[in-house]
């Protein structure tokens, strides 16, 4: 039996960050046309809004519990979604932002559904990343832009390019090895500062950013020196942007090689 013969299906869609204004017509149509909708959203108001689009919206939020490993929570969410797919339902998973950006559950649920022969795919949404480019006036193409999950930056030896932007996600739980906490704190952020201080001066200015999730809100855009990051108020919904600290270094050897290619191409054209 190939995938299209099985009756169950899964689509994971993103609602964007700001209530009402970011949802695409396609995402809305998937929500409305599905048999069951699972929702992992930024707050209760957004969940209420999605409930108006479909009579059977099931929140994934109750799976979260302080002290319980997030990996266990995520696996339970995938299982809840897959149970309905296996029962032959058209299932829609609704996630805030982009369902594929720093989000384990949608990727895993789609992978498992496909491996079992069901139709499953993802529709993109507007992520916190998209909002920060707009709100902070950053073009990731100007100097390049690196994205790291803050804990991953601590747990592994990563190489940072301080001539590009650096965007740090999940700084509110930076350094949580248990995966079971909703917040770490100043001492953990101090470790993050010590790691970043290898590439940036302590007075380097960072931006604490939080996109508006309700149309009446303004984004949080707060500038703070790297050395003061431990004392800053940073929650689950904050992202930290580290602007470049150094100028890009020209690469004369590569430029010389390219110039030689230009010359060769020009003389080929001249002799043609
Ligand atoms: C599990 S990820 C989910 C990201 C989401 N899928 C997206 O597309 O933006 C959670 C992290 O996203 C970032 N985030 C969530 N809400 C945010 C907001 N309102 N503004 C800025 N960043 C946010 C924070 O770094 C947070 O720790």
């Amino acid at each position: 039996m190939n995938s299209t013969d099985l009756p169950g299906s899964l689509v994971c869609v993103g609602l964007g960050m700001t209530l009402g204004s970011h949802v695409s017509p396609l995402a809305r149509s998937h929500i409305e046309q599905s048999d069951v909708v699972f929702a992992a959203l930024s707050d209760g108001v957004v969940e209420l809004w999605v409930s108006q689009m479909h009579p059977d919206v099931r929140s994934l939020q109750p799976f979260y519990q302080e002290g319980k490993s997030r990996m266990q929570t995520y696996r339970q969410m995938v299982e809840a979604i897959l149970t309905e797919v296996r029962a032959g339902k058209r299932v829609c998973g609704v996630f805030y932002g982009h369902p594929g950006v720093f989000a384990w559950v949608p990727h895993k649920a789609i992978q498992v559904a496909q491996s079992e022969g069901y139709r499953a795919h993802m529709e993109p949404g507007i992520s916190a990343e998209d909002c920060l480019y707009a709100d902070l006036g950053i073009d990731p193409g100007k100097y390049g832009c690196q994205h790291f999950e803050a804990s991953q930056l601590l747990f592994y030896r990563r190489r940072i390019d301080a001539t590009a932007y650096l965007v740090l996600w999940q700084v509110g739980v930076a350094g949580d090895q248990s995966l079971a906490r909703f917040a770490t704190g100043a001492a953990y952020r101090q470790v993050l500062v010590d790691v970043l201080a290898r590439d940036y001066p302590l007075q380097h200015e960072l931006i604490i950013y939080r996109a508006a999730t309700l149309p009446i809100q303004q984004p949080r855009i707060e500038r703070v020196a790297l050395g003061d990051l431990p004392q800053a108020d940073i929650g689950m919904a904050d992202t930290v942007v580290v602007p470049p600290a150094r100028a890009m270094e020209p690469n004369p050897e590569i430029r010389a090689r390219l110039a030689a290619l230009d010359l060769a191409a020009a003389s080929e054209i001249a002799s043609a």
Side-chain angles (χ1 to χ4, degrees), residues 14 16-18 40 42 64 70 74 95-104 106 125-132 135 148-150 167-173 208-213 217 219-220 234-240:
M17 300 304 295
T18 309
S42 51
Y64 284 109
R70 276 193 293 284
Y74 295 160
F95 300 84
Y96 76 89
H98 185 307
V101 172
F102 288 83
W104 191 86
I126 296 176
S127 69
E129 176 184 356
D130 299 307
C131 296
L132 81 79
D135 287 333
F148 287 110
E149 202 270 325
V167 180
L168 297 174
W169 298 68
Q170 310 208 125
V171 176
V173 286
I208 302 169
Y209 172 71
R210 189 186 307 155
T213 52
Q217 290 171 340
R220 176 186 187 191
I234 299 189
M236 289 290 267
D238 290 307
T239 297
V240 173

Side-chain angles (χ1 to χ4, degrees), residues 33-51:
Q33 306 296 317
S34 295
D35 298 317
V36 184
V37 176
F38 286 95
L41 300 169
S42 51
D43 67 45
V45 181
V46 183
E47 219 166 89
L48 214 63
W49 178 65
V50 175
S51 301

Side-chain angles (χ1 to χ4, degrees), residues 79-146:
E79 210 36 49
I81 292 170
L82 263 292
T83 299
E84 295 301 328
V85 175
R86 291 174 191 132
K89 305 264 179 63
R90 285 170 306 165
V91 179
C92 180
V94 187
F95 300 84
Y96 76 89
H98 185 307
V101 172
F102 288 83
W104 191 86
V105 171
H107 282 296
K108 189 68 182 176
I110 288 171
Q111 182 204 324
V112 173
Q114 287 176 342
S115 74
E116 293 181 12
Y118 298 99
R119 276 175 294 121
H121 77 287
M122 182 181 285
E123 294 292 347
I126 296 176
S127 69
E129 176 184 356
D130 299 307
C131 296
L132 81 79
Y133 294 145
D135 287 333
L136 303 182
I138 289 175
D139 181 343
K142 191 168 180 188
Y143 302 113
C145 189
Q146 310 145 93

